[in-house]
Amino acid sequence: MALTVVSQIFPREMIPAVLPLIEDKLQHSKEIIRRKAVLALYKFHLIAPNQVQHIHIKFRKALCDRDVGVMAASLHIYFRMIKENSSGYKDLTGSFVTILKQVVGGKLPVDFNYHSVPAPWLQIQLLRILGLLGKDDQRTSELMYDVLDESLRRAELNHNVTYAILFECVHTVYSIYPKSELLEKAAKCIGRFVLSPKINLKYLGLKALTYVIQQDPTLALQHQMTIIECLDHPDPIIKRETLELLYRITNAQNITVIVQKMLEYLQQSKEEYIIVNLVGKIAELAEKYAPDNAWFIQTMNAVFSVGGDVMHPDIPNNFLRLLAEGFDDETENQQLRLYAVQSYLTLLDAENVFYPQKFLQVMSWVLGEYSYLLDEETPEEVITKLYKLLMNDSVSSETKAWLLAAVTKLTPQAHSSNIVERLIQEFTVSLDTCMRQHAFELKHLRENVELMKSLLPVDKSCEDMVVDASLSFLDGFVAEELSQGAAPYKPHHQRQEEKLSQEKVLNFEPYGLSFSSSGFTGRQSPAGISLGSDISGNSAETGLKETNSLKLEGIKKLWGKEGYLPKKEGKTGDETEVPPVPQESIIMENVDQTIIKKDQSQVLTQSKEEKEKQLLASSLFVGLGTESTINLLGKADTVSHKFRRKSKVKETKSGETTSAQNMPCSYFSSSSDVTYEDDYYLDTLQDRGDKELNKFSLNSELLDSESLTELPSVEKLSSCTLSPPSLFTDDMEGLRSPSSTAASVANEISLASSLLEETSEHMHSDLVEVCNNETISVSSYKIWKDDCLLVVWSVSNKSGLELKSADLEISSAENFKITEQPGCCLPVIETESIKTFQYSVQMEKPFTEGNLFGFINYQMMDTHSVQLEFSVNLSLLDFIRPLKISTENFGKLWLSFANDVKQNVKMSESQAALPSALKTLQQKLRLHVVEIIGNEGLLACQLLPSIPCLLHFRVHGDVLALWFRSSCSTLPDYLLYQCQKVVEGS
Amino acid sequence: MIQFFLMVNKQGQTRLSKYYEHVEINKRTLLETEVIRSCLSRSNEQCSFIEFKDFKLIYRQYATLFIVVGVNDTENEMTIYEFIHNFVEVLDEYFSRVSELDIMFNLDKVHIILDEMVLNGCIVETNKKRILAPLLILDKMSES
């Protein structure tokens, strides 16, 4: 009973405590106890596979148990393990086949029968395992052909459960390496399923057919009629399954019919999950196989109107991208777009129809971009329609923003614009700040028609715009400011650091800033401000560096992440964001003069304030400028490293004056003084106000698309600014690993010649033969070098013949990083000589044990090539190296690590004293003894390449209290297990 | 893999529920009502498998009692379908002509039987004698 409980609820921490008990029970005389023990172990395997790795042998014993129940229980474990790694258990195929043969042959006790079918569930489980084992493996599959044939033949009885077995059989037959006879029989079976009058079997048949059809589409032809019948079946589930089947066989010829059927189903179904699923499929098919434009647009319209707001955001985004980027043929593009525009206009004409928000958004974007293609309808008419929509209450504010953007795009093409004026009037007093900004933006753009036309060019959605990202036009201004005594700007984080050193209270400044300012409700949009704060928080640094007349190259990485995201979020982001930027810069240039004059008069009183504003402005521009360039370029990674390093250098150089120390938040503290701020704008710089407004509206637009990604990126970015060194180290790590491997490769080359020396220098394992045949034998050994694990395979040619094109390959394993020495393919292995191949292996994540698989290919004289497979077992210990640190450093590290694991271990008699225990640990685990204080000891080690782990232990009588700490969360667990093995085992 | 095992009567009252994948308690009732609603809405001519959200329901009706099993899509539906029948046969053997009342008043025993048969979402035992063996021992102990 206890064992049952164990296998149901059990915390993974307690496993080591009870594991031995359960292992004992595996030898118990009663079958039920053995069975339960196996099941308990299965549970352990489920929750913590690495802790039971060493008892795999016992599973094998359980598999060969004389009792069927125990054997059946062990199958669950094997099913799981084989699913994870089928290659490791190929040798068991034979036993599984024998077992299945016995089961099918009725060799089991009668009480296992279910409706006179011998142990059906056992059969099914075995068939599944075989299916996994035989996948893409001809040799293993050959072993099972007989037994599969047998099961197909035996399962003739007309009972549900035999159908279940048959289904599993068919599944297996089609997943293993194919054999034509079996496939034929399986296909016949499917026929029986599909044609069966029983509805459940029909369902099963369809499911099987769906699976099979991926390999052999012709099979569908045989059952055409049945499929058609099923399609009109009254049961929606059958229908759905049929659609799934059709989805698999869709091609360019039958797409129209299939999608038609799918849409019909879609219109009937109510459940959200099904809709989301089906809509995705239809959209995928439509994009892949669409026969013509009209059809494509109509299908997508249907998808949008049905799928509406529940569908995946990728679908509209993909659709828009397709429209914007188009195909190779330009005329086709135009037609497609034209058709889209026309169809949308017709849709909008219909009265009292409610469309989902997403569909409206798509419509507004398309209309805004491409309605110039229309001949008969003027932009005014389109605007009128959009306006009608805008006035509709059921439209959400997000959609309204899209609509307004579309109107903005259309305005330059329109000749008279009463509606636009009305619209502006209405929305400049809107309560929704976001809308108001859009309206203001539109208003100011309208005042300068020329500029507007240049900013909002027709059909330029995919083309890059040149933006002056470096803001060089600001340099002069800043220089002037500086000459007048303004404090040079300091990078944001530097000031942060300085401040931190003075008062710790301001620790969370960047977070505080963005949150507090987003709560700010001034005339500007809160969204705009909060983004502004983000920008200033991050790019203030970059912007001001420029103004310190340092030339900045390339694109700022800090903006890379955030800037790239909006692109994914909404394509329109690009269009609306990009154009205003140059405009601003133009205004900016004009305005600069006035600002400067103004400034000169105010220099004493307001220089600081002004400067900060300027800083903010510039930083905003930098943000936007870079952002849009990044948007357009779509990549920033190449320059990022360079930039980061550079920024660090600059940061050390930049200003020392302390007078500007409280700059970072001063803008916001001052801007929270709303009235002052506003007055200032109004009084001094009307134009500038304009510009600010534009800017904010831009920001808010950004924010629309960005609001979801905003918070994490804010945090990320602020952490960036706070700790560029950490970023730096990340980079370095990226750089280091290749360089270290390069070094090791170099080492290897030099080592290859002097192998013996090397092995004597470093600890190494004995030579173990991993595989051999009559001509060659492959042995391997490991060299535990200080910086990596070197695995050496030596291939010796035992025959008297030369071997040609010998090639040793190691297949990559998920936990290891393997670097091979170049030139592993040797043209010739001479008679009775030995060649060695070396690989340096690094562990990517902690793991108790893993296998490295590989094979060797060679060709003998005049014969075909031969392949030999082998594997080498690598354990965690191979990657543990002593970490030589002082006690002080140990203390520091100890406090800095978050992951700790404690465990008491009973020591064996022989070493029940601290020194001897230490010695074993030192020798077997290669730990470094830092210090011994009384009955306590400190040990340190590291997992290659550089994950440290610290161990503190104390001896009480014969109990050893171990306490691990590491920066890696899983490492302590694994190490603990190793320690336990060493301490208990000896 | 089996995700949950439900016994619900036609009125929608849950008689037994067991989850092999963690589901929050308050979400369970919601799930159960949805499940039973979708089962009840189906007629005899329709098949006993329902695609429900991201898993599949397999149900069988015995008089007024529905047994519904939720599985993920790696499972063979027919296997589960027959397994339900096997389970009912076991109950039938133990209670000799099982009824809803038997299940209501001997919930602990039904649970023991189910635990013998399903573990961690896998079918582990289908041999009637072996399923009932531990339970019979327990009964004997409680008698004496």
Side-chain angles (χ1 to χ4, degrees), chain B:
Chain B
M1 199 189 129
I2 299 177
Q3 316 240 356
F4 59 82
F5 193 102
L6 281 180
M7 289 174 98
V8 197
N9 70 7
K10 261 192 164 169
Q11 284 80 47
Q13 292 158 310
T14 309
R15 290 294 172 225
L16 174 142
S17 74
K18 187 144 180 85
Y19 290 82
Y20 298 99
E21 205 117 284
H22 184 72
V23 181
E24 271 174 51
I25 303 284
N26 45 9
K27 282 193 186 148
R28 288 186 185 188
T29 30
L30 200 71
L31 181 84
E32 279 162 25
T33 44
E34 272 180 48
V35 165
I36 190 66
R37 203 186 305 131
S38 49
C39 288
L40 282 171
S41 67
R42 298 181 64 80
S43 67
N44 280 342
E45 291 91 56
Q46 296 182 313
C47 75
S48 342
F49 316 124
I50 310 173
E51 278 166 46
F52 183 81
K53 295 200 177 141
D54 51 348
F55 49 85
K56 284 197 180 122
L57 301 177
I58 293 141
Y59 70 92
R60 256 187 127 142
Q61 190 181 0
Y62 293 92
T64 58
L65 203 63
F66 276 96
I67 295 181
V68 190
V69 184
V71 298
N72 64 10
D73 52 2
T74 57
E75 198 70 50
N76 173 342
E77 287 89 352
M78 196 49 105
T79 322
I80 303 294
Y81 187 68
E82 281 310 301
F83 172 76
I84 296 175
H85 192 67
N86 190 1
F87 174 69
V88 175
E89 279 181 12
V90 174
L91 290 184
D92 212 38
E93 186 166 317
Y94 182 73
F95 293 109
S96 55
R97 296 201 60 76
V98 66
S99 70
E100 196 181 331
L101 287 178
D102 285 326
I103 293 164
M104 277 168 70
F105 295 117
N106 296 295
L107 200 58
D108 52 336
K109 286 172 183 158
V110 180
H111 263 291
I112 290 173
I113 291 174
L114 187 59
D115 284 347
E116 281 292 319
M117 295 177 76
V118 184
L119 203 74
N120 296 313
C122 299
I123 300 170
V124 292
E125 188 57 86
T126 50
N127 182 336
K128 280 175 213 162
K129 273 187 198 156
R130 293 197 171 182
I131 293 164
L132 292 177
L135 195 56
L136 293 174
I137 295 171
L138 279 182
D139 286 346
K140 222 178 255 169
M141 272 166 61
S142 56
E143 271 167 34
S144 58

Side-chain angles (χ1 to χ4, degrees), chain A residues 163 166-167 170 189-196 201-202 204-205:
Chain A
Y163 286 113
L166 273 181
F167 175 80
V170 169
C189 272
I190 296 178
R192 268 168 60 198
F193 277 120
V194 181
L195 296 173
S196 158
L201 292 184
K202 204 164 229 165
L204 224 53

Side-chain angles (χ1 to χ4, degrees), chain A residues 795-966:
Chain A
V795 181
S796 66
N797 183 357
K798 294 189 287 191
S799 72
L801 293 165
E802 274 189 351
L803 300 179
K804 275 192 182 163
S805 58
D807 183 13
L808 186 103
E809 264 185 48
I810 305 298
S811 40
S812 57
E814 63 175 318
N815 293 312
F816 301 114
K817 202 172 77 191
I818 303 154
T819 327
E820 65 178 291
Q821 172 197 351
C824 263
C825 182
L826 301 177
V828 169
I829 297 185
E830 284 146 23
T831 311
E832 291 175 14
S833 68
I834 296 176
K835 290 281 175 198
T836 57
F837 300 87
Q838 299 187 12
Y839 286 81
S840 89
V841 184
Q842 296 217 328
M843 195 173 251
E844 295 203 314
K845 65 176 189 208
F847 199 71
T848 322
E849 268 182 334
N851 281 320
L852 212 54
F853 297 98
F855 54 83
I856 180 161
N857 259 327
Y858 65 89
Q859 204 168 9
M860 298 237 308
M861 296 291 249
D862 308 326
T863 52
H864 60 283
S865 69
V866 183
Q867 183 170 344
L868 266 182
E869 289 178 19
F870 57 84
S871 73
V872 172
N873 184 287
L874 297 175
S875 83
L876 180 76
L877 286 185
D878 291 329
F879 300 92
I880 295 286
R881 298 287 178 277
L883 178 67
K884 297 196 170 76
I885 53 170
S886 68
T887 316
E888 275 167 39
N889 285 335
F890 183 94
K892 270 184 211 158
L893 275 176
W894 182 264
L895 291 175
S896 67
F897 291 158
N899 307 297
D900 67 345
V901 171
K902 285 189 204 178
Q903 176 82 36
N904 289 334
V905 180
K906 217 170 155 190
M907 285 189 287
S908 57
E909 303 272 314
S910 61
Q911 47 172 329
L914 184 68
S916 64
L918 264 180
K919 212 170 176 187
T920 34
L921 284 176
Q922 195 177 1
Q923 282 169 352
K924 294 202 174 157
L925 299 180
R926 270 171 266 162
L927 305 177
H928 172 67
V929 180
V930 180
E931 201 176 357
I932 301 175
I933 314 162
N935 59 351
E936 293 176 36
L938 306 176
L939 296 163
C941 67
Q942 56 177 336
L943 175 70
L944 289 174
S946 59
I947 305 170
C949 182
L950 305 178
L951 165 61
H952 169 270
F953 74 90
R954 177 190 302 221
V955 182
H956 292 293
D958 61 346
V959 174
L960 192 62
L962 298 167
W963 192 1
F964 291 86
R965 272 199 181 181
S966 169

Side-chain angles (χ1 to χ4, degrees), chain A residues 458-469:
Chain A
V458 164
D459 188 26
K460 287 288 182 287
S461 62
C462 285
E463 284 160 40
D464 296 358
M465 277 188 129
V466 185
V467 176
D468 183 4

Side-chain angles (χ1 to χ4, degrees), chain A residues 167 181 242:
Chain A
F167 175 80
E181 286 166 49
T242 321

